[in-house]
Amino acid sequence: MRHHKLALCADHFIEWVVQQTQRSIEKYEMFSRDKRILVAVSGGKDSLSLWDILLELGYKADGLYIDLGIENNDYSETSLEKVLQFASAHPEAHLHVVDVKALYGESVPEVASRVRRGKGKPCSVCGLIKRHEMNRVTLEEGYDVLATGHNLDDEVAVLFSNTLHWQTGYLARQAPVLPEASGLARKVKPLCRFYEREVAAYALVKGIDYIHDECPFAVGAKTIYYKTLLNQLEERSPGAKHQFYLNYVDARSHQRIRFAEDGESPPEMHPCPRCGQPTTAPGLCAFCRLWERKE
Ligand code: AMP
Ligand code: FES
Ligand code: ZN
Protein backbone atom coordinates (compact mmCIF):
# COMPACT_ATOMS: atom_id res chain seq x y z
CA MET A 1 0.00 0.00 0.00
CA ARG A 2 2.16 2.82 -1.41
CA HIS A 3 -0.04 5.55 0.07
CA HIS A 4 0.44 4.17 3.59
CA LYS A 5 4.06 3.12 2.98
CA LEU A 6 2.98 -0.23 4.36
CA ALA A 7 3.34 -3.82 3.13
CA LEU A 8 1.54 -6.63 4.94
CA CYS A 9 1.17 -10.38 4.53
CA ALA A 10 -2.34 -11.79 4.04
CA ASP A 11 -3.01 -12.52 7.73
CA HIS A 12 -1.78 -9.17 8.97
CA PHE A 13 -3.63 -7.37 6.17
CA ILE A 14 -6.94 -8.89 7.33
CA GLU A 15 -6.18 -7.93 10.91
CA TRP A 16 -5.26 -4.39 9.78
CA VAL A 17 -8.53 -3.94 7.82
CA VAL A 18 -10.63 -5.12 10.76
CA GLN A 19 -8.77 -2.86 13.21
CA GLN A 20 -8.91 0.16 10.91
CA THR A 21 -12.67 -0.30 10.51
CA GLN A 22 -13.08 -0.30 14.29
CA ARG A 23 -10.99 2.88 14.41
CA SER A 24 -13.23 4.60 11.85
CA ILE A 25 -16.31 3.52 13.82
CA GLU A 26 -14.83 5.13 16.93
CA LYS A 27 -13.31 8.20 15.26
CA TYR A 28 -16.59 9.22 13.66
CA GLU A 29 -18.71 7.91 16.57
CA MET A 30 -20.73 5.73 14.21
CA PHE A 31 -22.24 3.31 16.74
CA SER A 32 -21.49 1.57 20.01
CA ARG A 33 -21.43 -2.15 20.82
CA ASP A 34 -25.03 -2.25 22.03
CA LYS A 35 -26.54 -0.95 18.77
CA ARG A 36 -28.41 -3.03 16.19
CA ILE A 37 -26.93 -2.45 12.77
CA LEU A 38 -28.53 -3.07 9.39
CA VAL A 39 -25.98 -3.51 6.59
CA ALA A 40 -27.29 -2.75 3.10
CA VAL A 41 -25.76 -5.51 0.99
CA SER A 42 -25.74 -5.37 -2.80
CA GLY A 43 -23.80 -8.61 -3.40
CA GLY A 44 -20.68 -6.61 -4.30
CA LYS A 45 -17.32 -6.79 -2.54
CA ASP A 46 -17.72 -3.64 -0.45
CA SER A 47 -20.98 -4.34 1.30
CA LEU A 48 -20.31 -8.08 1.81
CA SER A 49 -16.86 -7.28 3.22
CA LEU A 50 -18.42 -4.69 5.50
CA TRP A 51 -20.92 -7.23 6.82
CA ASP A 52 -18.08 -9.72 7.32
CA ILE A 53 -15.90 -7.20 9.19
CA LEU A 54 -18.73 -6.07 11.49
CA LEU A 55 -19.52 -9.71 12.37
CA GLU A 56 -15.80 -10.34 12.86
CA LEU A 57 -15.73 -7.40 15.29
CA GLY A 58 -18.67 -8.92 17.17
CA TYR A 59 -21.34 -6.37 16.27
CA LYS A 60 -25.03 -7.27 16.01
CA ALA A 61 -25.24 -6.75 12.26
CA ASP A 62 -28.03 -8.03 10.02
CA GLY A 63 -28.26 -7.63 6.24
CA LEU A 64 -30.73 -6.06 3.82
CA TYR A 65 -30.79 -6.95 0.13
CA ILE A 66 -33.08 -5.00 -2.17
CA ASP A 67 -34.01 -7.00 -5.26
CA LEU A 68 -34.32 -4.36 -7.97
CA GLY A 69 -35.40 -6.85 -10.65
CA ILE A 70 -32.60 -5.95 -13.11
CA GLU A 71 -32.62 -8.80 -15.62
CA ASN A 72 -29.76 -7.73 -17.93
CA ASN A 73 -26.85 -10.16 -17.39
CA ASP A 74 -29.01 -11.74 -14.64
CA TYR A 75 -27.66 -8.91 -12.50
CA SER A 76 -30.20 -8.93 -9.64
CA GLU A 77 -30.50 -12.73 -9.57
CA THR A 78 -26.75 -13.29 -9.39
CA SER A 79 -26.38 -10.54 -6.76
CA LEU A 80 -29.05 -12.20 -4.62
CA GLU A 81 -27.29 -15.58 -4.93
CA LYS A 82 -24.04 -14.08 -3.60
CA VAL A 83 -25.85 -12.45 -0.69
CA LEU A 84 -27.75 -15.67 0.17
CA GLN A 85 -24.52 -17.64 0.02
CA PHE A 86 -22.84 -15.24 2.45
CA ALA A 87 -25.86 -15.21 4.77
CA SER A 88 -26.09 -19.00 4.90
CA ALA A 89 -22.45 -19.15 6.03
CA HIS A 90 -23.32 -16.71 8.88
CA PRO A 91 -26.32 -18.17 10.70
CA GLU A 92 -25.74 -15.72 13.57
CA ALA A 93 -26.99 -12.90 11.33
CA HIS A 94 -30.42 -12.37 9.78
CA LEU A 95 -30.97 -11.35 6.15
CA HIS A 96 -33.95 -9.25 5.04
CA VAL A 97 -34.80 -9.44 1.35
CA VAL A 98 -37.05 -6.82 -0.22
CA ASP A 99 -38.34 -7.74 -3.67
CA VAL A 100 -39.40 -4.45 -5.28
CA LYS A 101 -41.58 -6.06 -7.94
CA ALA A 102 -43.34 -8.41 -5.53
CA LEU A 103 -44.00 -5.54 -3.12
CA TYR A 104 -44.91 -2.69 -5.47
CA GLY A 105 -45.89 -4.46 -8.71
CA GLU A 106 -43.03 -3.35 -10.96
CA SER A 107 -39.27 -3.87 -11.09
CA VAL A 108 -36.95 -0.85 -11.05
CA PRO A 109 -36.40 -0.84 -14.85
CA GLU A 110 -40.17 -1.22 -15.39
CA VAL A 111 -41.18 1.68 -13.17
CA ALA A 112 -38.32 3.81 -14.55
CA SER A 113 -39.43 3.28 -18.14
CA ARG A 114 -43.08 4.02 -17.25
CA VAL A 115 -42.31 7.30 -15.49
CA ARG A 116 -39.59 8.19 -18.04
CA ARG A 117 -37.30 9.89 -15.57
CA GLY A 118 -33.54 10.05 -16.13
CA LYS A 119 -32.94 9.96 -19.89
CA GLY A 120 -33.64 6.28 -20.47
CA LYS A 121 -31.52 5.11 -17.52
CA PRO A 122 -33.19 3.81 -14.37
CA CYS A 123 -30.38 5.00 -12.05
CA SER A 124 -32.12 8.03 -10.51
CA VAL A 125 -35.38 6.10 -9.91
CA CYS A 126 -33.29 3.22 -8.57
CA GLY A 127 -31.48 5.52 -6.13
CA LEU A 128 -34.79 6.93 -4.92
CA ILE A 129 -36.26 3.44 -4.38
CA LYS A 130 -33.14 2.12 -2.62
CA ARG A 131 -32.97 5.13 -0.26
CA HIS A 132 -36.67 4.80 0.58
CA GLU A 133 -36.54 1.05 1.20
CA MET A 134 -33.32 1.20 3.23
CA ASN A 135 -34.83 3.87 5.45
CA ARG A 136 -38.15 2.01 5.74
CA VAL A 137 -36.68 -1.34 6.75
CA THR A 138 -34.19 0.24 9.18
CA LEU A 139 -36.99 2.05 11.03
CA GLU A 140 -39.71 -0.61 10.75
CA GLU A 141 -37.44 -3.40 11.98
CA GLY A 142 -36.12 -1.29 14.86
CA TYR A 143 -32.46 -0.98 13.83
CA ASP A 144 -30.41 1.86 15.29
CA VAL A 145 -28.30 2.51 12.24
CA LEU A 146 -27.99 1.70 8.54
CA ALA A 147 -24.49 0.92 7.23
CA THR A 148 -23.51 1.04 3.56
CA GLY A 149 -20.37 -0.24 1.84
CA HIS A 150 -19.19 3.05 0.28
CA ASN A 151 -15.38 3.01 0.04
CA LEU A 152 -12.86 5.84 -0.30
CA ASP A 153 -12.95 5.75 -4.11
CA ASP A 154 -16.76 6.11 -4.08
CA GLU A 155 -16.61 9.02 -1.66
CA VAL A 156 -13.77 10.75 -3.51
CA ALA A 157 -15.63 10.51 -6.83
CA VAL A 158 -18.74 12.07 -5.28
CA LEU A 159 -16.71 14.78 -3.54
CA PHE A 160 -14.89 15.55 -6.80
CA SER A 161 -18.15 15.78 -8.74
CA ASN A 162 -19.82 17.98 -6.12
CA THR A 163 -16.77 20.25 -5.97
CA LEU A 164 -16.49 20.48 -9.75
CA HIS A 165 -20.10 21.66 -9.90
CA TRP A 166 -19.97 23.58 -6.59
CA GLN A 167 -23.03 21.78 -5.34
CA THR A 168 -22.75 23.19 -1.85
CA GLY A 169 -26.00 21.62 -0.69
CA TYR A 170 -24.61 18.14 -1.43
CA LEU A 171 -21.15 19.07 -0.15
CA ALA A 172 -22.66 20.18 3.14
CA ARG A 173 -24.21 16.72 3.58
CA GLN A 174 -21.27 14.54 2.53
CA ALA A 175 -19.91 12.88 5.67
CA PRO A 176 -19.11 9.42 7.08
CA VAL A 177 -22.15 9.77 9.37
CA LEU A 178 -25.57 11.25 8.66
CA PRO A 179 -27.33 11.68 11.98
CA GLU A 180 -30.84 10.47 12.61
CA ALA A 181 -33.57 13.01 11.93
CA SER A 182 -37.31 12.87 12.32
CA GLY A 183 -38.39 9.89 10.17
CA LEU A 184 -34.87 9.39 8.78
CA ALA A 185 -32.57 6.65 10.04
CA ARG A 186 -28.94 7.28 11.04
CA LYS A 187 -26.58 6.34 8.17
CA VAL A 188 -22.91 5.41 8.37
CA LYS A 189 -20.10 4.43 5.97
CA PRO A 190 -17.53 2.45 7.99
CA LEU A 191 -15.33 1.65 4.93
CA CYS A 192 -14.96 5.26 3.81
CA ARG A 193 -11.22 5.32 4.60
CA PHE A 194 -10.32 2.24 2.52
CA TYR A 195 -9.26 2.34 -1.08
CA GLU A 196 -11.40 0.17 -3.32
CA ARG A 197 -8.49 -2.17 -4.00
CA GLU A 198 -7.95 -2.69 -0.26
CA VAL A 199 -11.55 -3.84 0.12
CA ALA A 200 -11.19 -6.05 -2.97
CA ALA A 201 -8.05 -7.58 -1.43
CA TYR A 202 -9.94 -8.20 1.83
CA ALA A 203 -12.74 -10.02 -0.02
CA LEU A 204 -10.22 -12.04 -2.01
CA VAL A 205 -8.14 -13.13 0.98
CA LYS A 206 -11.25 -13.94 3.05
CA GLY A 207 -12.70 -15.95 0.16
CA ILE A 208 -15.87 -13.86 0.02
CA ASP A 209 -17.66 -14.69 -3.21
CA TYR A 210 -19.18 -11.53 -4.69
CA ILE A 211 -20.64 -10.26 -7.96
CA HIS A 212 -17.81 -8.77 -10.01
CA ASP A 213 -20.02 -7.05 -12.59
CA GLU A 214 -21.12 -3.48 -12.13
CA CYS A 215 -24.81 -2.78 -12.57
CA PRO A 216 -25.37 -2.96 -16.37
CA PHE A 217 -26.87 0.55 -16.29
CA ALA A 218 -23.75 2.02 -14.65
CA VAL A 219 -21.79 1.71 -17.90
CA GLY A 220 -20.77 5.18 -19.04
CA ALA A 221 -21.77 6.81 -15.74
CA LYS A 222 -20.00 10.05 -14.88
CA THR A 223 -18.71 8.69 -11.56
CA ILE A 224 -16.88 5.88 -13.37
CA TYR A 225 -15.15 8.49 -15.55
CA TYR A 226 -14.22 10.53 -12.46
CA LYS A 227 -12.81 7.40 -10.84
CA THR A 228 -10.56 6.84 -13.87
CA LEU A 229 -9.31 10.44 -13.70
CA LEU A 230 -8.70 10.20 -9.97
CA ASN A 231 -6.80 6.93 -10.44
CA GLN A 232 -4.45 8.74 -12.82
CA LEU A 233 -3.91 11.38 -10.18
CA GLU A 234 -3.28 8.73 -7.53
CA GLU A 235 -0.76 7.01 -9.81
CA ARG A 236 1.31 10.22 -9.96
CA SER A 237 0.75 11.21 -6.31
CA PRO A 238 0.09 8.20 -4.08
CA GLY A 239 -2.23 9.18 -1.25
CA ALA A 240 -3.89 12.03 -3.17
CA LYS A 241 -7.36 10.50 -2.94
CA HIS A 242 -6.96 9.75 0.74
CA GLN A 243 -5.90 13.34 1.45
CA PHE A 244 -8.55 14.95 -0.72
CA TYR A 245 -11.38 13.16 1.08
CA LEU A 246 -10.06 12.89 4.64
CA ASN A 247 -8.78 16.46 4.82
CA TYR A 248 -12.20 17.58 3.64
CA VAL A 249 -14.02 15.51 6.25
CA ASP A 250 -11.62 16.74 8.92
CA ALA A 251 -11.95 20.40 7.90
CA ARG A 252 -15.73 20.04 7.93
CA SER A 253 -15.84 18.44 11.34
CA HIS A 254 -13.69 21.28 12.76
CA GLN A 255 -15.77 23.84 10.85
CA ARG A 256 -12.80 25.11 8.84
CA ILE A 257 -14.94 24.78 5.72
CA ARG A 258 -18.40 26.23 6.05
CA PHE A 259 -21.31 26.60 3.69
CA ALA A 260 -24.25 28.96 3.74
CA GLU A 261 -26.41 25.82 4.11
CA ASP A 262 -24.82 25.03 7.50
CA GLY A 263 -26.71 27.71 9.37
CA GLU A 264 -29.97 27.29 7.53
CA SER A 265 -32.84 25.48 9.13
CA PRO A 266 -33.66 22.39 7.06
CA PRO A 267 -36.50 22.74 4.56
CA GLU A 268 -39.94 22.22 6.00
CA MET A 269 -40.73 18.48 5.99
CA HIS A 270 -44.00 16.70 6.58
CA PRO A 271 -44.74 12.97 6.73
CA CYS A 272 -45.95 11.56 3.41
CA PRO A 273 -49.65 10.76 3.83
CA ARG A 274 -49.12 7.29 2.29
CA CYS A 275 -45.80 5.94 3.58
CA GLY A 276 -45.08 8.30 6.46
CA GLN A 277 -41.52 9.11 5.40
CA PRO A 278 -40.56 12.79 5.57
CA THR A 279 -40.86 14.81 2.37
CA THR A 280 -40.63 18.45 1.29
CA ALA A 281 -43.06 17.87 -1.57
CA PRO A 282 -46.65 18.99 -1.10
CA GLY A 283 -48.72 15.80 -0.80
CA LEU A 284 -47.19 12.40 -1.58
CA CYS A 285 -43.40 11.86 -1.42
CA ALA A 286 -41.42 11.25 -4.62
CA PHE A 287 -41.33 7.50 -3.91
CA CYS A 288 -45.10 7.15 -3.52
CA ARG A 289 -45.69 9.32 -6.61
CA LEU A 290 -43.72 6.74 -8.64
CA TRP A 291 -46.49 4.21 -8.11
CA GLU A 292 -49.38 6.55 -8.94
CA ARG A 293 -50.72 5.37 -12.28
CA LYS A 294 -52.33 7.96 -14.50
CA GLU A 295 -54.44 5.66 -16.74
P1 AMP B 1 -23.85 1.84 -5.12
O1 AMP B 1 -24.80 2.99 -5.01
O2 AMP B 1 -24.31 0.76 -6.03
O3 AMP B 1 -22.42 2.24 -5.27
O4 AMP B 1 -23.92 1.14 -3.68
C1 AMP B 1 -23.53 1.82 -2.53
C2 AMP B 1 -23.97 1.00 -1.32
O5 AMP B 1 -25.38 0.91 -1.30
C3 AMP B 1 -23.46 -0.43 -1.32
O6 AMP B 1 -22.18 -0.53 -0.76
C4 AMP B 1 -24.50 -1.11 -0.47
O7 AMP B 1 -24.24 -0.89 0.90
C5 AMP B 1 -25.79 -0.38 -0.82
N1 AMP B 1 -26.56 -1.05 -1.90
C6 AMP B 1 -26.43 -0.88 -3.24
N2 AMP B 1 -27.31 -1.66 -3.91
C7 AMP B 1 -28.02 -2.34 -2.98
C8 AMP B 1 -29.07 -3.32 -3.02
N3 AMP B 1 -29.60 -3.74 -4.18
N4 AMP B 1 -29.55 -3.80 -1.86
C9 AMP B 1 -29.06 -3.37 -0.68
N5 AMP B 1 -28.06 -2.47 -0.57
C10 AMP B 1 -27.54 -1.95 -1.70
FE1 FES C 1 -29.77 0.85 -9.76
FE2 FES C 1 -27.92 0.33 -11.49
S1 FES C 1 -29.77 1.32 -11.85
S2 FES C 1 -28.04 -0.30 -9.42
ZN1 ZN D 1 -44.47 8.28 0.54
Side-chain angles (χ1 to χ4, degrees):
M1 294 178 280
R2 282 206 294 158
H3 45 279
H4 295 311
K5 298 193 175 64
L6 189 65
L8 298 173
C9 68
D11 287 349
H12 284 123
F13 176 73
I14 295 302
E15 214 174 276
W16 177 82
V17 170
V18 173
Q19 281 170 0
Q20 288 296 318
T21 308
Q22 176 58 28
R23 283 207 189 162
S24 295
I25 293 168
E26 288 169 16
K27 181 176 167 69
Y28 302 115
E29 298 176 356
M30 292 184 172
F31 43 76
S32 49
R33 294 257 157 221
D34 54 328
K35 299 297 182 200
R36 290 183 69 221
I37 303 149
L38 184 63
V39 186
V41 280
S42 64
K45 62 180 182 320
D46 303 299
S47 47
L48 286 180
S49 295
L50 172 60
W51 198 7
D52 188 80
I53 295 166
L54 294 181
L55 293 174
E56 200 70 56
L57 283 165
Y59 286 101
K60 287 172 276 188
D62 288 344
L64 165 67
Y65 174 74
I66 303 169
D67 190 333
L68 308 163
I70 297 174
E71 293 179 346
N72 317 39
N73 307 342
D74 294 327
Y75 179 70
S76 291
E77 200 185 316
T78 313
S79 305
L80 175 61
E81 277 167 21
K82 304 294 180 192
V83 173
L84 288 173
Q85 193 181 326
F86 182 93
S88 68
H90 295 83
E92 73 275 30
H94 179 74
L95 172 68
H96 303 265
V97 176
V98 167
D99 181 334
V100 172
K101 182 159 182 160
L103 209 53
Y104 300 103
E106 280 172 321
S107 69
V108 165
E110 284 167 354
V111 62
S113 79
R114 178 172 52 77
V115 301
R116 288 200 203 91
R117 231 179 83 162
K119 299 182 194 127
K121 284 210 174 204
C123 305
S124 77
V125 167
C126 178
L128 170 64
I129 292 176
K130 283 195 286 200
R131 281 192 301 277
H132 186 279
E133 290 302 283
M134 285 179 194
N135 194 54
R136 180 180 67 78
V137 177
T138 308
L139 297 178
E140 277 181 12
E141 301 290 335
Y143 289 95
D144 298 297
V145 54
L146 175 80
T148 54
H150 295 93
N151 59 43
L152 180 69
D153 291 63
D154 297 326
E155 293 301 289
V156 169
V158 173
L159 178 60
F160 183 67
S161 169
N162 289 339
T163 307
L164 202 58
H165 301 102
W166 289 120
Q167 288 185 305
T168 53
Y170 291 143
L171 282 170
R173 282 171 36 85
Q174 192 177 357
V177 175
L178 283 180
E180 184 179 357
S182 156
L184 292 174
R186 181 178 180 80
K187 299 195 183 85
V188 299
K189 301 167 186 166
L191 302 186
C192 67
R193 297 203 289 175
F194 291 116
Y195 281 83
E196 178 167 2
R197 55 194 297 272
E198 293 167 350
V199 186
Y202 180 87
L204 190 76
V205 176
K206 286 290 302 263
I208 297 171
D209 187 14
Y210 61 90
I211 179 157
H212 289 252
D213 299 338
E214 290 268 6
C215 164
F217 297 109
V219 177
K222 262 282 170 56
T223 44
I224 296 186
Y225 171 60
Y226 292 149
K227 282 183 178 175
T228 312
L229 285 179
L230 290 156
N231 284 341
Q232 288 173 10
L233 177 70
E234 181 77 21
E235 192 56 41
R236 287 277 286 270
S237 329
K241 287 193 276 195
H242 204 260
Q243 270 182 33
F244 180 50
Y245 178 67
L246 290 158
N247 290 354
Y248 174 72
V249 169
D250 197 49
R252 282 291 290 158
S253 73
H254 293 98
Q255 303 192 343
R256 290 197 302 274
I257 299 177
R258 293 168 58 80
F259 299 107
E261 286 83 352
D262 291 344
E264 280 175 12
S265 45
E268 192 91 9
M269 302 265 230
H270 67 92
C272 166
R274 185 163 301 162
C275 71
Q277 290 201 21
T279 176
T280 51
L284 295 183
C285 74
F287 174 85
C288 289
R289 268 183 288 135
L290 282 179
W291 311 103
E292 289 274 277
R293 288 161 181 276
K294 300 251 159 21
E295 59 282 311

